[in-house]
Amino acid sequence: MLDYIIVGSGLAGIAFSETLLENQKSFVVFENQSQNSSRVAGGLYNPVILKRFSHVWDAERQLALANQFYAQIEAKLQLQVDFKLPIYRKFFSIEEQNNWFAATDKPSLTPFLSTTIVHKKYKAIDSPFGYGEVLHTGYVDTDVFLNAYQAYLKAQDILVSDAFRYEKLQIVNEIISYEHLQAKHIVFAEGFGMHANPYFKNLPLDGTKGELFIIKAPDLNLDVIINTSIFILPLGDNLFKVGATYNWEDKTDLPTEEGKVELVERIREILQCEFEIVSHFAGVRPTVNDRRPLLGTHPSHKNMHILNGLGTRGVMLAPAMALDLFEYIENKKPLDKSVDIQRYITSF
């Protein structure tokens, strides 16, 4: 008898797996690599919405838990996945500078926005109005992280590399049965794959496709993350991750010519140097219209749960949301109403 079955080992599933390990719970994880949004994500964590200079919901707690979580993972797996780097928001006008300074006066943003305009000159980037520096930022190399953690789960013999087949799931006397497995609970952390899940498919998980590049630009000497209409993230060896597009219609994870053209145009608006596209990839982010995750328990099946809808901020959200769901299931601690799927109860 297991404590849990987890379906999915992207950022959400791994964060929940680690939470279970910390609390001495037994479990297995199903992963068939069908969803790649966690793997191809930009991986940035940033407590500020830079388009509007506004505060990310619950940012302080999420950042604190994320820092602790990734440090713990690095110690366990003996590799670096968390890279602390400032984010510089490029200003395009005096008005944007003024809006930035107005934002620094807001108590919720004061810890995260520098009050000094950065006038550092980066080769190949014209920045006459300078940059605003966001504090406590960086990125997680999600591909390295997922590969290493899934290998760790496999070494522990608790990773099932197979698709989860819903028709094989049975619930008898509040026990989850799946083939030879039995568990007290099941948690679905499937990302956009939730649409194939007969128990939760009616929840309003929209899905937003994003396309990104890895480019090579030898003349771009950059040691911070630049944020404009896109982000430019230095990876070393003259390589940079650049993204991302937002497409609300296309729900495939295939790179497109349309996305390529859009990214190339945006890069050329910012960089005054040559660059080479090394790779082009895409994924569908699990987004929700109200910009809040989907956590909670199925109204008809009290041992069936969901951890989804982390959207564009999965790196920062996953540790906090995994902990919240665990506390809700095990200790009956109420979920924040803004993330509880009870807000969509009529969907079931």
Side-chain angles (χ1 to χ4, degrees):
M1 173 67 70
L2 297 167
D3 292 309
Y4 287 84
I5 293 171
I6 303 173
V7 182
S9 70
L11 289 168
I14 285 178
F16 198 77
S17 298
E18 186 67 8
T19 303
L20 294 183
L21 288 173
E22 286 179 25
N23 289 276
Q24 292 80 51
K25 299 294 183 180
S26 58
F27 65 96
V28 298
V29 183
F30 280 79
E31 175 57 63
N32 68 344
Q33 308 295 337
S34 65
Q35 302 299 314
N36 71 338
S37 64
S38 289
R39 192 173 294 279
V40 305
L44 276 63
Y45 51 90
N46 169 19
V48 182
I49 300 169
L50 288 172
K51 189 173 183 179
R52 301 186 293 275
F53 300 152
S54 55
H55 180 251
V56 170
W57 165 75
D58 199 28
E60 293 87 348
R61 187 179 77 101
Q62 290 172 24
L63 268 180
L65 289 171
N67 283 327
Q68 177 183 333
F69 174 79
Y70 294 112
Q72 182 173 307
I73 295 296
E74 289 180 329
K76 173 181 287 192
L77 303 181
Q78 292 296 292
L79 83 168
Q80 185 176 6
V81 297
D82 183 6
F83 298 84
K84 311 291 187 188
L85 277 183
I87 292 178
Y88 283 8
R89 166 60 154 84
K90 181 182 171 181
F91 295 135
F92 289 88
S93 66
I94 295 293
E95 182 184 8
E96 282 197 338
Q97 290 180 346
N98 292 337
N99 291 341
W100 178 273
F101 283 120
T104 63
D105 286 336
K106 298 177 182 177
S108 62
L109 291 175
T110 298
F112 303 121
L113 300 181
S114 170
T115 55
T116 303
I117 293 180
V118 177
H119 286 289
K120 185 173 181 179
K121 298 296 182 184
Y122 287 103
K123 189 178 178 183
I125 301 179
D126 187 29
S127 55
F129 299 101
Y131 306 90
E133 180 180 356
V134 189
L135 310 174
H136 310 297
T137 60
Y139 76 96
V140 170
D141 188 326
T142 54
D143 192 39
V144 168
F145 171 47
L146 266 62
N147 284 338
Y149 202 93
Q150 289 172 5
Y152 168 78
L153 292 175
K154 189 173 183 179
Q156 306 298 313
D157 201 26
I158 50 179
L159 182 71
V160 180
S161 300
D162 194 9
F164 187 87
R165 306 184 192 285
Y166 306 101
E167 68 276 10
K168 295 184 177 181
L169 174 63
Q170 294 184 321
I171 305 173
V172 180
N173 296 327
E174 300 201 1
I175 296 298
I176 298 287
S177 293
Y178 183 89
E179 295 185 327
H180 64 284
L181 299 172
Q182 288 192 320
K184 298 173 185 176
H185 300 277
I186 186 167
V187 172
F188 291 104
E190 303 159 292
F192 192 66
M194 187 199 79
H195 285 286
N197 185 323
Y199 300 99
F200 291 104
K201 66 181 181 181
N202 291 331
L203 287 172
L205 188 73
D206 186 27
T208 310
K209 181 172 182 172
E211 300 190 45
L212 301 95
F213 288 161
I214 302 293
I215 64 169
K216 187 167 188 176
D219 293 330
L220 178 58
N221 182 22
L222 196 60
D223 58 356
V224 298
I225 301 165
I226 296 292
N227 176 283
T228 60
S229 60
I230 54 175
F231 67 81
I232 305 173
L233 188 162
L235 300 174
D237 297 325
N238 298 319
L239 296 175
F240 303 86
K241 183 179 283 190
V242 181
T245 63
Y246 289 81
N247 185 323
W248 287 267
E249 304 301 323
D250 183 358
K251 307 300 183 185
T252 70
D253 58 7
L254 300 174
T256 66
E257 186 63 25
E258 178 186 6
K260 179 179 179 180
V261 168
E262 179 182 342
L263 278 178
V264 167
E265 286 179 354
R266 292 192 186 184
I267 294 170
R268 285 180 173 154
E269 288 172 357
I270 300 159
L271 298 187
Q272 296 160 356
C273 67
E274 293 302 311
F275 62 90
E276 170 194 352
I277 300 169
V278 176
S279 56
H280 178 193
F281 43 95
V284 181
R285 312 172 185 92
T287 54
V288 185
N289 286 339
D290 66 4
R291 300 176 185 273
R292 291 290 187 271
L294 298 170
L295 274 66
T297 298
H298 194 283
S300 303
H301 304 292
K302 301 309 178 186
N303 48 1
M304 183 180 291
H305 319 281
I306 188 168
L307 176 57
N308 209 321
L310 304 189
T312 61
R313 298 184 181 275
V315 161
M316 198 164 121
L317 274 168
M321 295 302 98
L323 177 62
D324 288 353
L325 183 62
F326 178 82
E327 292 288 346
Y328 169 72
I329 296 169
E330 293 289 337
N331 300 318
K332 304 297 183 281
K333 183 179 178 181
L335 292 168
D336 186 308
K337 290 181 179 179
S338 71
V339 304
D340 195 329
I341 58 171
Q342 291 295 317
R343 69 194 193 274
Y344 295 121
I345 196 66
T346 55
S347 299
F348 292 94

